Amino acid sequence: MDKCNASFSNTRRLGIVDSVEGNSVKVCLQRTSACVSCEHPEKCFVHGGKKLVVDVFKESSVLCNVGDEVEVELSDRGGLKAVFVGFFIPLLLMLISVLAANIFGCSDSKSALVAFALLIIYYIIIYMLRNIIERKFRIRLTRVVQNRKPIIQ
């Protein structure tokens, strides 16, 4: 029997460095080619019609300044984990809590309140663990595509 080797690649995007503080860089991601033909960029679900700025981890060997065009990378596995933690687990929590509350004889409104209370608790826990979770979903700055200014060390 052959083993299934699921291969995960990395998602790479180009962006412009917004600010640099040690190993943390804020990068403004550029719109993708799909955005060019969009008739309503102001109503964009992905970017909210505004620039998308993300915190990126920069290795000390990568030197960059504000205004540089850079490439950032997130593993697809990391993206799947983020969807799992952000959407799938909360959905399961809601369904299980509503079913459990109904089984124990609670009304529909009380079941909904229990589900929302569990969601609030879940997201508070996620918020409290954000530093640990951030390390698992770290976006990395892989390379400088084009320097806009001379690098100052």
Side-chain angles (χ1 to χ4, degrees), residues 7-8 42 100 150:
S7 69
F8 287 92
E42 72 281 352

Side-chain angles (χ1 to χ4, degrees), residues 35-101:
C35 297
V36 173
S37 62
C38 182
E39 296 176 13
H40 303 287
E42 72 281 352
K43 297 178 183 176
C44 183
F45 174 74
V46 176
H47 293 290
K50 300 176 184 173
K51 64 180 183 177
L52 178 64
V53 179
V54 294
D55 287 321
V56 177
F57 174 75
K58 175 184 78 77
E59 295 180 15
S60 57
S61 62
V62 179
L63 301 174
C64 64
N65 283 318
V66 174
D68 288 349
E69 185 176 15
V70 294
E71 182 180 71
V72 297
E73 173 182 81
L74 172 68
S75 72
D76 287 347
R77 186 178 296 266
L80 289 174
K81 286 181 186 176
V83 168
F84 189 76
V85 169
F87 296 105
F88 188 70
I89 292 175
L91 177 65
L92 279 179
L93 272 175
M94 283 188 66
L95 291 174
I96 291 169
S97 62
V98 166
L99 289 174

